[in-house]
Amino acid sequence: MNFWFSIFRQTGRNLRQTWTTQFMTCLTVSLSVLIFSFFYLIYLNILSAGDKVTDDLRLVVYLDEEPGPEMQEQLRLKISQFDQVQEIKFISREEAYSRFAEQLGDNHDVLTDMPTDFLPASIEVIPLKTLRSLSQIKLFSEYLATLPGSQKVQYGQNWVERFYYFTQLLSIVVLLSGVLLILTATFMVASTIRLTIFARQEELELLKLVGATNNYIRTPFLLEGILQGLIGSLLGLTSLYILFQWITRHFSGAGFLDLFTFTFFPPGIIATIILSSIVLCTAGSYTSMQKFLRI
Amino acid sequence: MTEAAAFQTAMIEIIKVGKSYPPNVTALTDISVSIASGEIFFLIGRSGAGKTTLLKLLCNMEKPTNGLIEVAGMNIHQVTGNKLAKLRQRVGMAYQDFRLLTDRTVAENIAISMEVSYKKPQIIHNRVRNLLAQLQLEDKHDILTGDLSRGEQQRVAIARAVANSPALILVDEPTGNLDATSTEQVMELLIRCRNSGATIVIATHDEALYRHSTHRIMKLHNGRLDSLTRGDGQGRPNTAEATDDTEATDGSDDEI
């Protein structure tokens, strides 16, 4: 009889004898994976939505008066001194008026009595994609405010700030649930294995006395840890996928979810979550066994 | 294997071994004896004399407080890890309290000592059947050991101890719960193992077991070596201190 044949037989026997405890552990692991993956999925989707929104990010510098061609060149130079930008566009008073009228659509007649130069001239600055963090955007906006003739700088501050803080909050939740996953999975598996060891102490002692090697005693427990990690994470991810399908089916095309495409984890992340779960559960099992084998 | 060849090397060397338990219980004091390969060795004495303690030291279940114990040339209390596991695979022990897994069948209990040394399933199956036949337990193959009588459990424990064909077999009170016929079967089995080259140490206070034997008999009293004699096969212990040399045996060892 070779080593692995004996080990698989032992593992099968253990699982049969302690299946209720094993099942409860699997459920706990899957719940931990589900909680973590749920927040992580939202986080990833919000980040990708944020990327799309910041693709449209532009800073508008309102000017006291319309700059002439020479002044435009000077301003262009000044802006480029701070950082390279993707595009700088000067908007004249008339152009601002026609844009506004266009935005009003059918209601544009409210502007009939207004002079075409009542809106201020402005510069539209589209930063490079590398300018992503809130502090960088703030710095750039403060710099633009110091330009000669600058009246006010706008980039949807409130919205950008709220979005930024929301993603910060989400990353904390993801981090916390990640830590929770690590602690719960490791602790639960370690406890289960400890209970199993306790229940089978007599047998394990006997195995030692008849000459079983530490690997012979330990490996079935490690396999149990691997199985708990694998099955637990697969259950958790499958539940999340079902939940994801339900959400996309019931909420697609409506309001908030219409802002971005809600996508599931790519295969790389799925594999990483499963692998991490297996590693954690095996580590929990290993530590319990080490304590026993040291006695 | 001839007895002369088997006796050339010592299987067990016990040198000035003592064992104490806290706070101040002395179980063994200054025990020294050498047991040859292929020998049947009786360890006798009243309850509490230290027989079981000595067997526990020999199978490395416990460590001596002082002294040296060598089994097959190895100081067993310095061997660790896989080497210790390999050594234990060569030592079969039938415990006084049997140490059977009561939720497993008779066959599973006997097989356990062979499984740890990765014997092939067919070999395990045949060996289990064969041992059960020798001990007249064929019909108990699939019975849980928890459902057996004490006598049957004792025979299963002995079968497990010899199953892996170990080089050293330690048996603690092998006939405590057995009738005369079962005792005879057990002793025949142990002698067959000895004939295959195993060294056998039997701890007992059953005089019927060793009275007519020609094997060496060590008597313990309050943890001390009281006497080391050789049976004369007539029920009269030899008063001279027995040695483990070949010449001392008269070839009638197989009598019970």
Side-chain angles (χ1 to χ4, degrees):
Chain A
M1 192 188 300
N2 68 34
F3 177 77
W4 287 108
F5 181 81
S6 301
I7 294 302
F8 285 129
R9 217 168 68 154
Q10 282 261 88
T11 312
R13 197 187 279 155
N14 295 355
L15 291 175
R16 266 200 315 276
Q17 281 176 348
T18 57
W19 71 270
T20 39
T21 333
Q22 307 281 357
F23 179 68
M24 292 312 287
T25 311
C26 254
L27 279 187
T28 318
V29 172
S30 62
L31 200 65
S32 310
V33 172
L34 177 65
I35 294 166
F36 167 75
S37 313
F38 176 74
F39 286 116
Y40 190 51
L41 184 66
I42 291 177
Y43 178 69
L44 284 186
N45 276 286
I46 296 280
L47 276 191
S48 85
D51 280 349
K52 279 181 197 158
V53 169
T54 43
D55 279 352
D56 299 333
L57 178 74
R58 56 195 63 207
L59 294 100
V60 183
V61 186
Y62 292 101
L63 301 170
D64 290 335
E65 52 189 46
E66 212 167 305
E70 201 175 322
M71 179 75 171
Q72 279 189 15
E73 204 47 47
Q74 282 176 325
L75 286 169
R76 205 181 285 276
L77 264 173
K78 272 278 179 199
I79 293 168
S80 305
Q81 269 173 8
F82 179 83
D83 197 2
Q84 281 193 321
V85 290
Q86 194 177 311
E87 195 183 345
I88 298 171
K89 203 171 168 188
F90 286 91
I91 312 287
S92 65
R93 288 170 187 271
E94 284 73 24
E95 212 178 329
Y97 178 85
S98 57
R99 271 188 180 188
F100 188 41
E102 205 175 299
Q103 280 170 8
L104 285 173
D106 292 342
N107 301 320
H108 71 276
D109 28 326
V110 293
L111 297 175
T112 38
D113 293 336
M114 302 294 285
T116 55
D117 60 350
F118 83 100
L119 289 169
S122 60
I123 316 169
E124 256 185 28
V125 183
I126 301 173
L128 285 176
K129 300 266 181 276
T130 49
L131 195 81
R132 279 283 180 269
S133 78
L134 182 63
S135 56
Q136 280 177 310
I137 296 169
K138 269 186 175 171
L139 267 177
F140 193 31
S141 128
E142 277 162 20
Y143 175 76
L144 292 176
T146 63
L147 289 177
S150 160
Q151 222 177 31
K152 189 181 178 186
V153 181
Q154 272 192 340
Y155 55 90
Q157 285 94 325
N158 288 344
W159 197 92
V160 170
E161 275 180 27
R162 275 181 200 163
F163 184 77
Y164 177 78
Y165 289 125
F166 180 64
T167 52
Q168 289 283 92
L169 175 75
L170 214 55
S171 60
I172 291 168
V173 173
V174 168
L175 194 74
L176 282 178
S177 62
V179 172
L180 188 79
L181 164 80
I182 290 170
L183 291 179
T184 317
T186 316
F187 177 76
M188 276 308 295
V189 173
S191 303
T192 314
I193 300 288
R194 221 169 290 147
L195 280 177
T196 316
I197 290 170
F198 186 71
R200 295 177 50 209
Q201 186 119 19
E202 210 178 320
E203 181 194 344
L204 297 177
E205 294 285 353
L206 182 72
L207 279 173
K208 277 166 124 181
L209 290 173
V210 295
T213 58
N214 279 352
N215 277 343
Y216 184 92
I217 298 173
R218 182 168 37 208
T219 314
F221 289 99
L222 293 184
L223 281 182
E224 280 174 34
I226 291 172
L227 276 178
Q228 280 163 348
L230 179 70
I231 297 172
S233 58
L234 282 177
L235 269 177
L237 285 171
T238 310
S239 317
L240 183 68
Y241 186 72
I242 293 168
L243 186 70
F244 164 81
Q245 289 290 351
W246 187 84
I247 290 173
T248 43
R249 206 175 313 123
H250 287 83
F251 293 93
S252 59
F256 174 68
L257 283 180
D258 204 25
L259 283 175
F260 55 90
T261 344
F262 201 45
T263 54
F264 200 67
F265 293 126
I269 290 181
I270 293 177
T272 311
I273 292 174
I274 293 173
L275 203 68
S276 311
S277 172
I278 289 174
V279 168
L280 290 172
C281 292
T282 314
S285 168
Y286 184 80
T287 48
S288 292
M289 266 331 280
Q290 281 308 93
K291 276 181 197 159
F292 171 77
L293 292 173
R294 225 179 288 140
I295 295 165
Chain B
M1 186 188 295
T2 66
E3 198 164 279
F7 276 26
Q8 280 168 4
T9 52
M11 171 56 81
I12 300 171
E13 290 282 6
I14 303 172
I15 303 167
K16 290 183 86 62
V17 166
K19 175 70 183 173
S20 309
Y21 295 99
N24 54 1
V25 179
T26 305
L28 290 172
T29 312
D30 273 350
I31 304 292
S32 296
V33 69
S34 179
I35 301 171
S37 218
E39 186 179 357
I40 292 184
F41 188 87
F42 284 99
L43 201 54
I44 63 167
R46 295 164 69 177
S47 296
K51 305 185 295 290
T52 301
T53 306
L54 189 57
L55 288 188
K56 282 181 177 174
L57 296 180
L58 286 176
C59 70
N60 202 358
M61 267 176 85
E62 288 184 10
K63 291 190 189 304
T65 313
N66 51 281
L68 171 74
I69 297 179
E70 281 186 356
V71 172
M74 274 189 274
N75 180 347
I76 53 167
H77 297 104
Q78 282 183 351
V79 180
T80 53
N82 282 358
K83 274 189 179 169
L84 176 62
K86 291 282 170 208
L87 183 70
R88 279 174 165 166
Q89 285 173 18
R90 297 182 59 206
V91 180
M93 167 103 181
Y95 303 92
Q96 194 173 12
D97 57 356
F98 314 144
R99 285 186 176 245
L100 294 174
L101 305 173
T102 49
D103 56 347
R104 301 273 182 92
T105 65
V106 168
E108 284 172 334
N109 268 277
I110 298 173
I112 207 164
S113 62
M114 291 179 276
E115 284 173 359
V116 298
S117 50
Y118 313 126
K119 291 269 192 311
K120 287 186 176 144
Q122 194 54 45
I123 292 175
I124 295 176
H125 179 79
N126 292 343
R127 179 74 171 146
V128 169
R129 289 274 178 204
N130 181 269
L131 285 169
L132 290 179
Q134 288 185 55
L135 295 169
Q136 295 200 333
L137 288 169
E138 299 101 315
D139 55 330
K140 307 291 179 190
H141 187 277
D142 296 319
I143 305 286
L144 296 180
T145 52
D147 296 338
L148 298 177
S149 70
R150 297 278 297 167
E152 287 166 335
Q153 287 183 344
Q154 188 151 33
R155 281 181 281 164
V156 174
I158 290 165
R160 186 183 60 197
V162 304
N164 202 26
S165 308
L168 172 63
I169 299 168
L170 308 171
V171 198
D172 197 0
E173 300 291 359
T175 56
N177 299 282
L178 303 182
D179 55 36
T181 317
S182 301
T183 301
E184 199 172 325
Q185 285 163 0
V186 165
M187 287 311 293
E188 276 171 7
L189 175 65
L190 291 175
I191 285 164
R192 265 193 291 274
C193 293
R194 198 287 307 268
N195 291 342
S196 312
T199 307
I200 297 167
V201 180
I202 303 169
T204 184
H205 57 247
D206 180 1
E207 210 184 322
L209 267 191
Y210 58 85
R211 192 171 36 198
H212 297 292
S213 84
T214 55
H215 306 293
R216 288 197 299 155
I217 303 160
M218 183 166 91
K219 186 177 182 187
L220 295 177
H221 181 71
N222 287 339
R224 290 179 181 275
L225 200 161
D226 188 59
S227 65
L228 182 60
T229 56
R230 182 179 293 280
D232 64 355
Q234 307 298 315
R236 296 187 303 272
N238 191 341
T239 45
E241 184 158 309
T243 55
D244 60 352
D245 58 4
T246 316
E247 290 73 28
T249 58
D250 62 1
S252 59
D253 307 7
D254 295 357
E255 289 171 19
I256 302 164

